[in-house]
Structure formats: structure tokens, C-alpha cells
């Protein structure tokens, strides 16, 4: 189990995160789902989806209440947050209203945290900005997402 606040792995049976002190209440399985990221090959087309063109990508929610959701990255600027107008709408209090942006730079995408309260994590490390590569896992609040895209 991982802490929904800071993303750190929690000790089995613990009620509070040893890193940030947040409650580790077990989520209701009816409202929280997950996908096995090992079952997804981020360099291959996703079954049922059209192939991605150069300069496009996709974010797949692999953990969280909307696990399995996909968000196409095909604009110069994609917003991520709890605000209902966000392109990647993640409705949970652990996500800031305007949490992050994904900016197209040529045929690549750069994730930029917008000073969110809980931060944005890539590979378990808090990051302010990073170019996304196929297979990278990012965490926004209690959501884990995997980026799949055409290599530049």
C-alpha cells in the first residue's frame, strides 16, 4: 500500500504514514481500482485504440478511482487537476485544482508541476518538470498514471 498524500510505500498494517503522518485508511474497493502496469506495453498500440501519431501521447490511469481511463495528449497544452475544466480531470482532494500541465515540445511532452500542494511524483521522486518517456509512471495525488507515446 502507498500513502495517498506523499506516495511513499507504507508498512503493512500501519494506520498512518511514517513519512508524512497521513491516515492510511484502506480505500473502499468499490471506489478504487488498479491496473497491472506490467500488462501494458507503453511502446505498443493499446488494444482498441487507434495508433498514436508522432507528437501525440496518452495517459492511462493505472491506480485510483478511475483506473483504466485514458487521456489523449494531442494539444500543445494539457491541464491536469481537480478543476472540472481540466483536460485530465482527477476528482480527489489529494489533487490541486490546477495541479500540473503537460506541454508539447516538438514530438515530446514535458510535465510541469504548477506548485501543487502534494506535488507530482515520477518514479517515486518529486519532480517540478520532466520530459515524459514511454512507460514512465507519474503520481498525482492518489492517482498513478502511465505515459505511453511515440518516441521522438
Amino acid at each position: 500500500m502507498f500513502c495517498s498524500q506523499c506516495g511513499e510505500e507504507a508498512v503493512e498494517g500501519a494506520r498512518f504514514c511514517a513519512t508524512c503522518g497521513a491516515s492510511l485508511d484502506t480505500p473502499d474497493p468499490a471506489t478504487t481500482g488498479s491496473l497491472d502496469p506490467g500488462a501494458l506495453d507503453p511502446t505498443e498500440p493499446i488494444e482498441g485504440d487507434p495508433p498514436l501519431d508522432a507528437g501525440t501521447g496518452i495517459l492511462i490511469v493505472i491506480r485510483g478511482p478511475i483506473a483504466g481511463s485514458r487521456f489523449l495528449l494531442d494539444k500543445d497544452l494539457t491541464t491536469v487537476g481537480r478543476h472540472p475544466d481540466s483536460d485530465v480531470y482527477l476528482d480527489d482532494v489529494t489533487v490541486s485544482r490546477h495541479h500540473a500541465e503537460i506541454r508539447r515540445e516538438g514530438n515530446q511532452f514535458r510535465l510541469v508541476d504548477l506548485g501543487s500542494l502534494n506535488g507530482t511524483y515520477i518514479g517515486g521522486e518529486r519532480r517540478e518538470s520532466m520530459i515524459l518517456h514511454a512507460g514512465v509512471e507519474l503520481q498525482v495525488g492518489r492517482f498513478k498514471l502511465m505515459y505511453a507515446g511515440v518516441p521522438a
Side-chain angles (χ1 to χ4, degrees), residues 1 3 10-18 21-26:
M1 175 183 350
C3 175
V11 176
E12 190 172 334
R15 294 180 51 203
F16 297 94
C17 176
S23 175
L24 295 173
D25 291 335
T26 305

Side-chain angles (χ1 to χ4, degrees), residues 1-151:
M1 175 183 350
F2 292 88
C3 175
S4 64
Q5 296 296 312
C6 70
E8 290 294 315
E9 189 166 6
V11 176
E12 190 172 334
R15 294 180 51 203
F16 297 94
C17 176
T19 302
C20 72
S23 175
L24 295 173
D25 291 335
T26 305
D28 178 358
T31 61
T32 302
S34 65
L35 292 175
D36 175 14
L40 301 171
D41 183 346
T43 61
E44 292 295 321
I46 299 165
E47 188 176 323
D49 285 349
L52 296 174
D53 295 325
T56 63
I58 193 164
L59 284 178
I60 305 165
V61 180
I62 58 173
R63 192 179 83 201
I66 58 171
S69 297
R70 298 173 179 154
F71 297 95
L72 181 64
L73 304 176
D74 62 350
K75 302 186 305 184
D76 289 337
L77 179 69
T78 302
T79 58
V80 179
R82 186 168 37 98
H83 192 281
D85 291 339
S86 297
D87 299 311
V88 179
Y89 176 52
L90 303 174
D91 188 18
D92 190 87
V93 296
T94 60
V95 178
S96 295
R97 284 181 184 85
H98 303 284
H99 198 100
E101 292 178 344
I102 300 172
R103 302 171 184 165
R104 184 187 344 232
E105 295 180 357
N107 285 340
Q108 298 180 325
F109 289 95
R110 176 178 296 279
L111 176 74
V112 179
D113 186 272
L114 297 176
S116 64
L117 181 62
N118 291 325
T120 303
Y121 293 81
I122 297 180
E125 181 180 323
R126 189 170 182 155
R127 301 293 296 262
E128 300 301 318
S129 176
M130 179 183 169
I131 294 288
L132 298 176
H133 300 283
V136 71
E137 287 184 22
L138 40 134
Q139 184 164 345
V140 177
R142 69 177 62 218
F143 296 88
K144 260 202 176 168
L145 304 101
M146 183 171 65
Y147 171 75
V150 178

